[in-house]
Coordinates of all heavy atoms in Angstrom, one line a residue:
M1 N 85.9 103.6 50.3 CA 87.0 103.5 51.2 C 87.4 102.1 51.5 O 86.5 101.2 51.5 CB 86.7 104.2 52.5 CG 87.8 104.3 53.4 SD 87.5 105.6 54.7 CE 87.6 104.6 56.1
L2 N 88.6 101.8 51.7 CA 89.1 100.4 51.9 C 89.4 100.3 53.4 O 90.5 100.3 53.8 CB 90.3 100.1 51.1 CG 90.1 99.5 49.8 CD1 91.4 99.3 49.0 CD2 89.4 98.2 49.9
D3 N 88.4 100.1 54.2 CA 88.7 99.8 55.6 C 88.3 98.4 55.9 O 87.8 97.7 55.1 CB 87.9 100.8 56.6 CG 86.4 100.7 56.4 OD1 85.9 99.7 55.8 OD2 85.7 101.6 56.8
S4 N 88.7 97.9 57.1 CA 88.5 96.5 57.4 C 87.0 96.1 57.3 O 86.7 95.0 56.9 CB 89.1 96.2 58.7 OG 88.5 96.9 59.7
R5 N 86.1 96.9 57.7 CA 84.7 96.6 57.7 C 84.2 96.4 56.3 O 83.5 95.4 55.9 CB 83.9 97.6 58.4 CG 82.4 97.2 58.4 CD 81.5 98.3 59.0 NE 82.0 98.6 60.4 CZ 81.5 99.7 61.1 NH1 80.7 100.5 60.5 NH2 82.0 99.9 62.3
S6 N 84.6 97.3 55.4 CA 84.1 97.2 54.0 C 84.8 96.0 53.3 O 84.1 95.3 52.5 CB 84.3 98.5 53.2 OG 85.7 98.8 53.1
L7 N 86.0 95.8 53.6 CA 86.7 94.6 53.0 C 86.0 93.3 53.5 O 85.8 92.4 52.7 CB 88.2 94.6 53.3 CG 89.0 95.4 52.4 CD1 90.4 95.5 52.9 CD2 89.0 95.0 51.0
S8 N 85.7 93.3 54.8 CA 85.0 92.1 55.3 C 83.7 91.8 54.6 O 83.4 90.7 54.3 CB 84.8 92.3 56.8 OG 84.1 91.2 57.3
R9 N 82.9 92.9 54.3 CA 81.6 92.7 53.7 C 81.8 92.1 52.3 O 81.1 91.2 51.8 CB 80.9 94.0 53.6 CG 79.6 93.9 52.9 CD 78.8 95.1 53.0 NE 77.5 94.9 52.3 CZ 76.9 95.9 51.7 NH1 77.3 97.1 51.8 NH2 75.7 95.6 51.1
R10 N 82.9 92.6 51.6 CA 83.1 92.0 50.3 C 83.5 90.5 50.3 O 83.0 89.7 49.5 CB 84.3 92.8 49.6 CG 83.9 94.2 49.3 CD 85.2 95.0 48.9 NE 84.9 96.3 48.5 CZ 84.8 97.4 49.3 NH1 85.0 97.3 50.6 NH2 84.5 98.6 48.8
W11 N 84.3 90.2 51.3 CA 84.6 88.8 51.5 C 83.5 87.9 51.9 O 83.4 86.7 51.7 CB 85.9 88.6 52.4 CG 87.1 89.0 51.7 CD1 87.9 90.1 51.9 CD2 87.8 88.4 50.6 NE1 88.9 90.2 51.1 CE2 88.9 89.1 50.3 CE3 87.5 87.2 49.9 CZ2 89.8 88.7 49.2 CZ3 88.4 86.8 48.9 CH2 89.5 87.6 48.6
D12 N 82.5 88.5 52.6 CA 81.3 87.8 53.0 C 80.6 87.3 51.8 O 80.1 86.2 51.7 CB 80.4 88.7 53.8 CG 80.9 88.9 55.3 OD1 81.8 88.2 55.7 OD2 80.4 89.8 55.9
F13 N 80.4 88.1 50.7 CA 79.8 87.7 49.5 C 80.6 86.6 48.9 O 80.1 85.6 48.4 CB 79.7 88.9 48.5 CG 78.6 89.8 48.8 CD1 78.9 91.1 49.2 CD2 77.3 89.5 48.6 CE1 77.9 92.0 49.5 CE2 76.3 90.4 48.9 CZ 76.6 91.7 49.4
F14 N 81.9 86.7 48.9 CA 82.8 85.7 48.3 C 82.6 84.4 49.0 O 82.5 83.4 48.4 CB 84.3 86.2 48.3 CG 85.2 85.3 47.7 CD1 85.5 85.5 46.3 CD2 85.8 84.2 48.3 CE1 86.4 84.6 45.7 CE2 86.7 83.4 47.7 CZ 87.0 83.6 46.4
D15 N 82.7 84.5 50.3 CA 82.6 83.2 51.1 C 81.2 82.6 51.0 O 81.1 81.3 51.1 CB 82.8 83.5 52.6 CG 84.3 83.9 52.9 OD1 85.2 83.6 52.1 OD2 84.5 84.6 53.9
A16 N 80.2 83.3 50.7 CA 78.9 82.8 50.5 C 78.7 82.2 49.1 O 77.7 81.7 48.7 CB 77.8 83.9 50.7
G17 N 79.7 82.3 48.2 CA 79.7 81.8 46.9 C 79.1 82.8 45.8 O 79.0 82.4 44.7
D18 N 78.8 84.0 46.3 CA 78.3 85.0 45.3 C 79.6 85.8 44.7 O 79.8 86.9 45.1 CB 77.4 86.0 46.0 CG 76.6 86.8 45.0 OD1 77.0 86.9 43.8 OD2 75.6 87.4 45.5
F19 N 80.3 85.1 43.9 CA 81.5 85.6 43.4 C 81.3 86.8 42.5 O 82.2 87.7 42.5 CB 82.3 84.5 42.6 CG 82.5 83.3 43.4 CD1 82.1 82.0 42.9 CD2 83.1 83.3 44.7 CE1 82.3 80.9 43.7 CE2 83.3 82.2 45.4 CZ 82.9 80.9 44.9
A20 N 80.3 86.9 41.7 CA 80.0 88.0 40.8 C 79.8 89.3 41.7 O 80.3 90.3 41.3 CB 78.8 87.7 39.9
M21 N 79.0 89.2 42.7 CA 78.7 90.3 43.6 C 80.0 90.8 44.3 O 80.3 92.0 44.4 CB 77.6 90.0 44.6 CG 77.3 91.2 45.5 SD 76.6 92.6 44.6 CE 75.0 92.1 44.3
A22 N 80.7 89.8 44.8 CA 82.0 90.1 45.4 C 82.9 90.9 44.5 O 83.6 91.8 44.8 CB 82.7 88.9 46.0
R23 N 82.9 90.4 43.2 CA 83.8 91.0 42.2 C 83.4 92.5 42.0 O 84.2 93.3 41.8 CB 83.8 90.2 40.9 CG 84.8 90.7 39.9 CD 84.8 90.0 38.6 NE 86.1 90.2 37.9 CZ 86.5 91.4 37.5 NH1 85.8 92.5 37.7 NH2 87.6 91.5 36.8
Q24 N 82.1 92.7 41.9 CA 81.6 94.1 41.7 C 82.2 95.0 42.9 O 82.6 96.1 42.6 CB 80.1 94.2 41.7 CG 79.5 93.6 40.5 CD 78.0 93.6 40.5 OE1 77.4 94.1 41.4 NE2 77.4 93.2 39.4
Y25 N 82.1 94.5 44.1 CA 82.6 95.3 45.2 C 84.1 95.4 45.1 O 84.7 96.5 45.5 CB 82.2 94.6 46.6 CG 80.8 95.0 47.0 CD1 79.8 94.0 46.9 CD2 80.5 96.2 47.4 CE1 78.5 94.3 47.3 CE2 79.2 96.6 47.8 CZ 78.2 95.6 47.7 OH 76.9 95.9 48.1
F26 N 84.8 94.4 44.7 CA 86.3 94.5 44.6 C 86.7 95.4 43.5 O 87.7 96.1 43.6 CB 86.9 93.1 44.4 CG 86.8 92.2 45.6 CD1 86.4 90.8 45.4 CD2 87.1 92.6 46.8 CE1 86.4 90.0 46.5 CE2 87.1 91.8 47.9 CZ 86.7 90.5 47.8
E27 N 85.9 95.5 42.4 CA 86.1 96.5 41.4 C 86.0 97.9 41.9 O 86.8 98.8 41.6 CB 85.1 96.3 40.2 CG 85.4 95.2 39.3 CD 84.4 95.0 38.2 OE1 83.3 95.6 38.3 OE2 84.7 94.3 37.3
Q28 N 85.0 98.1 42.8 CA 84.8 99.5 43.4 C 86.0 99.8 44.3 O 86.5 100.9 44.3 CB 83.5 99.5 44.2 CG 82.3 99.5 43.3 CD 81.0 99.4 44.2 OE1 81.1 99.3 45.4 NE2 79.9 99.4 43.5
A29 N 86.5 98.7 45.0 CA 87.6 98.9 45.9 C 88.9 99.2 45.1 O 89.7 100.1 45.5 CB 87.8 97.7 46.7
E30 N 89.0 98.6 44.0 CA 90.2 98.9 43.1 C 90.1 100.3 42.6 O 91.1 101.0 42.6 CB 90.3 97.9 42.0 CG 91.5 98.1 41.1 CD 91.5 97.3 39.8 OE1 90.4 97.1 39.2 OE2 92.5 96.9 39.4
Q31 N 89.0 100.7 42.2 CA 88.8 102.1 41.7 C 89.2 103.1 42.7 O 89.9 104.1 42.5 CB 87.4 102.3 41.1 CG 87.1 101.6 39.9 CD 85.6 101.5 39.5 OE1 84.8 102.1 40.2 NE2 85.3 100.9 38.4
W32 N 88.7 102.9 43.9 CA 89.0 103.8 45.1 C 90.5 103.8 45.3 O 91.1 104.8 45.5 CB 88.2 103.4 46.3 CG 88.6 104.2 47.5 CD1 88.0 105.4 47.8 CD2 89.6 104.0 48.4 NE1 88.6 105.9 48.9 CE2 89.6 105.1 49.3 CE3 90.6 103.0 48.6 CZ2 90.5 105.2 50.3 CZ3 91.5 103.1 49.6 CH2 91.4 104.2 50.5
A33 N 91.1 102.6 45.4 CA 92.5 102.4 45.7 C 93.3 103.1 44.7 O 94.3 103.8 45.0 CB 92.9 101.0 45.8
D34 N 92.9 103.0 43.4 CA 93.7 103.7 42.3 C 93.6 105.2 42.5 O 94.6 105.9 42.2 CB 93.2 103.3 41.0 CG 93.6 101.9 40.5 OD1 94.5 101.3 41.2 OD2 93.0 101.3 39.6
R35 N 92.5 105.7 43.0 CA 92.4 107.2 43.1 C 93.0 107.7 44.4 O 93.7 108.7 44.4 CB 90.9 107.6 43.1 CG 90.2 107.6 41.8 CD 88.9 108.2 41.8 NE 88.0 107.9 43.0 CZ 87.2 106.9 43.1 NH1 87.1 106.0 42.1 NH2 86.5 106.7 44.2
M36 N 92.8 107.0 45.5 CA 93.2 107.5 46.8 C 94.0 106.6 47.7 O 94.4 107.0 48.8 CB 91.9 107.9 47.5 CG 91.0 108.8 46.8 SD 89.3 109.0 47.4 CE 89.6 110.0 48.8
G37 N 94.1 105.4 47.3 CA 94.7 104.4 48.2 C 96.2 104.3 48.1 O 96.9 104.9 47.3
T38 N 96.8 103.6 49.1 CA 98.2 103.3 49.1 C 98.5 102.2 48.0 O 97.6 101.5 47.5 CB 98.7 102.9 50.4 OG1 98.1 101.6 50.7 CG2 98.3 103.9 51.5
R39 N 99.8 102.0 47.8 CA 100.2 100.9 46.9 C 99.8 99.6 47.4 O 99.3 98.7 46.7 CB 101.7 101.0 46.6 CG 102.1 102.1 45.7 CD 103.6 102.0 45.4 NE 103.9 103.1 44.5 CZ 105.1 103.6 44.4 NH1 106.1 103.1 45.1 NH2 105.3 104.6 43.5
H40 N 99.9 99.5 48.7 CA 99.4 98.2 49.4 C 97.9 98.0 49.2 O 97.5 96.9 48.8 CB 99.8 98.2 50.9 CG 99.4 97.0 51.6 ND1 100.0 95.8 51.4 CD2 98.4 96.8 52.5 CE1 99.5 94.9 52.2 NE2 98.5 95.4 52.9
Q41 N 97.1 99.0 49.3 CA 95.7 98.8 49.1 C 95.4 98.5 47.7 O 94.5 97.7 47.4 CB 95.0 100.1 49.6 CG 95.0 100.3 51.1 CD 94.5 101.7 51.5 OE1 94.8 102.7 50.9 NE2 93.7 101.7 52.6
Q42 N 96.1 99.1 46.8 CA 95.9 98.8 45.3 C 96.3 97.4 45.1 O 95.5 96.7 44.3 CB 96.8 99.8 44.5 CG 96.4 101.2 44.5 CD 97.5 102.1 43.9 OE1 98.5 101.7 43.5 NE2 97.2 103.4 43.9
Q43 N 97.3 96.9 45.6 CA 97.7 95.5 45.4 C 96.7 94.5 46.0 O 96.3 93.5 45.4 CB 99.1 95.2 46.1 CG 99.6 93.8 45.9 CD 99.8 93.5 44.4 OE1 100.2 94.3 43.6 NE2 99.6 92.2 44.1
L44 N 96.2 94.9 47.2 CA 95.1 94.0 47.8 C 93.9 94.0 47.0 O 93.3 92.9 46.8 CB 94.8 94.5 49.2 CG 95.8 94.4 50.3 CD1 95.4 95.1 51.6 CD2 96.1 92.9 50.6
A45 N 93.5 95.1 46.4 CA 92.3 95.1 45.6 C 92.5 94.3 44.3 O 91.6 93.5 43.9 CB 92.0 96.6 45.2
R46 N 93.7 94.4 43.7 CA 94.0 93.6 42.5 C 94.0 92.1 42.8 O 93.5 91.3 42.0 CB 95.3 94.1 41.9 CG 95.1 95.4 41.1 CD 96.4 95.9 40.6 NE 96.2 97.2 39.9 CZ 96.0 98.4 40.5 NH1 96.0 98.4 41.8 NH2 95.9 99.5 39.8
E47 N 94.6 91.7 43.9 CA 94.6 90.3 44.3 C 93.2 89.8 44.6 O 92.9 88.7 44.2 CB 95.5 90.2 45.6 CG 97.0 90.3 45.3 CD 97.8 90.3 46.6 OE1 97.2 90.1 47.7 OE2 99.0 90.5 46.5
A48 N 92.4 90.6 45.2 CA 91.0 90.2 45.4 C 90.2 90.0 44.1 O 89.5 89.0 44.0 CB 90.3 91.2 46.3
L49 N 90.5 90.9 43.2 CA 89.8 90.7 41.8 C 90.3 89.4 41.2 O 89.5 88.7 40.6 CB 90.2 91.9 40.9 CG 89.3 93.1 41.1 CD1 89.8 94.3 40.3 CD2 87.9 92.8 40.7
A50 N 91.6 89.2 41.2 CA 92.1 88.0 40.6 C 91.6 86.7 41.3 O 91.2 85.8 40.6 CB 93.7 88.0 40.7
E51 N 91.4 86.8 42.6 CA 90.8 85.6 43.3 C 89.4 85.4 42.9 O 88.9 84.3 42.7 CB 91.0 85.8 44.8 CG 90.8 84.5 45.5 CD 91.3 84.5 47.0 OE1 92.1 85.3 47.3 OE2 90.7 83.7 47.8
S52 N 88.7 86.5 42.8 CA 87.3 86.4 42.3 C 87.1 85.9 40.9 O 86.3 85.0 40.7 CB 86.6 87.8 42.4 OG 86.5 88.2 43.7
D53 N 88.0 86.4 40.0 CA 88.0 85.8 38.7 C 88.2 84.3 38.6 O 87.6 83.6 37.9 CB 89.0 86.6 37.8 CG 88.6 88.0 37.5 OD1 87.4 88.3 37.7 OD2 89.4 88.8 37.1
A54 N 89.2 83.9 39.4 CA 89.5 82.5 39.5 C 88.4 81.7 40.0 O 88.0 80.6 39.5 CB 90.8 82.2 40.3
A55 N 87.7 82.2 41.0 CA 86.5 81.5 41.6 C 85.4 81.4 40.6 O 84.7 80.4 40.5 CB 86.1 82.2 42.9
I56 N 85.2 82.5 39.9 CA 84.1 82.5 38.8 C 84.4 81.5 37.8 O 83.5 80.7 37.4 CB 83.9 83.9 38.3 CG1 83.3 84.9 39.3 CG2 83.1 83.9 37.0 CD1 83.4 86.3 38.9
R57 N 85.6 81.5 37.3 CA 86.0 80.5 36.3 C 85.8 79.0 36.8 O 85.3 78.2 36.1 CB 87.4 80.7 35.8 CG 87.6 81.8 34.8 CD 89.0 81.9 34.2 NE 90.1 81.9 35.2 CZ 90.5 83.0 35.7 NH1 90.0 84.2 35.4 NH2 91.5 82.9 36.6
A58 N 86.2 78.8 38.0 CA 86.1 77.5 38.6 C 84.7 77.0 38.8 O 84.4 75.8 38.7 CB 86.9 77.4 39.9
A59 N 83.8 78.0 39.0 CA 82.4 77.7 39.2 C 81.6 77.4 38.0 O 80.5 76.8 38.0 CB 81.7 78.8 40.0
E60 N 82.2 77.9 36.8 CA 81.5 77.6 35.5 C 81.6 76.2 35.2 O 82.6 75.5 35.4 CB 82.2 78.5 34.4 CG 82.0 79.9 34.6 CD 82.8 80.7 33.5 OE1 83.6 80.1 32.8 OE2 82.6 81.9 33.4
P61 N 80.5 75.7 34.6 CA 80.5 74.3 34.2 C 81.6 74.0 33.2 O 81.8 74.8 32.3 CB 79.1 74.0 33.7 CG 78.6 75.3 33.4 CD 79.3 76.3 34.3
A62 N 82.3 72.9 33.3 CA 83.3 72.6 32.3 C 82.7 72.3 31.0 O 81.6 71.7 30.9 CB 84.1 71.3 32.8
R63 N 83.3 72.8 29.9 CA 82.8 72.6 28.6 C 83.5 71.4 27.9 O 84.6 71.1 28.1 CB 83.0 73.8 27.7 CG 82.2 75.0 28.1 CD 82.4 76.1 27.1 NE 81.5 77.2 27.5 CZ 81.6 78.4 27.0 NH1 82.5 78.6 26.1 NH2 80.8 79.3 27.4
D64 N 82.7 70.7 27.2 CA 83.2 69.5 26.5 C 84.0 70.1 25.3 O 83.6 71.0 24.6 CB 82.0 68.6 26.0 CG 82.5 67.3 25.4 OD1 83.5 67.3 24.7 OD2 81.8 66.3 25.8
V65 N 85.1 69.5 25.0 CA 85.9 69.9 23.8 C 85.1 69.9 22.5 O 85.4 70.7 21.7 CB 87.2 69.0 23.7 CG1 88.4 69.9 23.3 CG2 87.4 68.1 24.8
R66 N 84.2 69.1 22.4 CA 83.4 69.0 21.2 C 82.5 70.3 21.0 O 82.0 70.5 20.0 CB 82.5 67.8 21.2 CG 83.3 66.5 21.1 CD 82.5 65.3 21.4 NE 82.1 65.3 22.8 CZ 81.4 64.3 23.4 NH1 81.0 63.3 22.6 NH2 81.1 64.3 24.6
D67 N 82.3 71.1 22.1 CA 81.5 72.3 22.0 C 82.3 73.4 21.2 O 81.7 74.4 20.9 CB 81.2 72.8 23.4 CG 80.2 71.9 24.1 OD1 79.6 71.1 23.4 OD2 80.1 72.0 25.4
Y68 N 83.5 73.2 21.0 CA 84.3 74.2 20.3 C 84.4 74.1 18.8 O 84.3 73.3 18.1 CB 85.7 74.3 20.9 CG 85.7 74.8 22.3 CD1 85.8 73.8 23.4 CD2 85.6 76.1 22.6 CE1 85.8 74.3 24.7 CE2 85.6 76.5 23.9 CZ 85.7 75.6 25.0 OH 85.7 76.0 26.3

């Protein structure tokens, strides 16, 4: 379910820097929203996933172009 308490818990992981764990929870939220949620809840879940993905990419060490 996507209530304020469960969303807050997901963001707690994100705020603590555990982006992968937050993403897992956001994926669950998206699955729930797709099955039972409103369009607004679906959009919120997708935005949270996108933000998690961006944070994960930003946290990865930059690769030297010579590595390719």
Side-chain angles (χ1 to χ4, degrees):
M1 187 163 120
L2 267 177
D3 61 16
S4 60
R5 183 184 302 168
S6 62
L7 278 175
S8 176
R9 181 171 178 208
R10 291 168 176 92
W11 285 109
D12 287 344
F13 284 109
F14 186 91
D15 292 340
D18 193 347
F19 307 124
M21 180 62 76
R23 190 182 197 296
Q24 288 178 0
Y25 279 107
F26 290 135
E27 283 177 344
Q28 292 172 0
E30 181 188 38
Q31 291 168 1
W32 178 88
D34 285 344
R35 284 191 318 273
M36 305 165 77
T38 65
R39 286 186 179 155
H40 180 69
Q41 289 169 321
Q42 292 168 359
Q43 182 62 32
L44 289 175
R46 285 177 181 75
E47 289 173 3
L49 276 172
E51 195 165 338
S52 293
D53 288 342
I56 289 169
R57 282 191 305 274
E60 291 177 351
R63 292 188 177 167
D64 192 318
V65 218
R66 295 171 288 184
D67 292 341
Y68 293 100

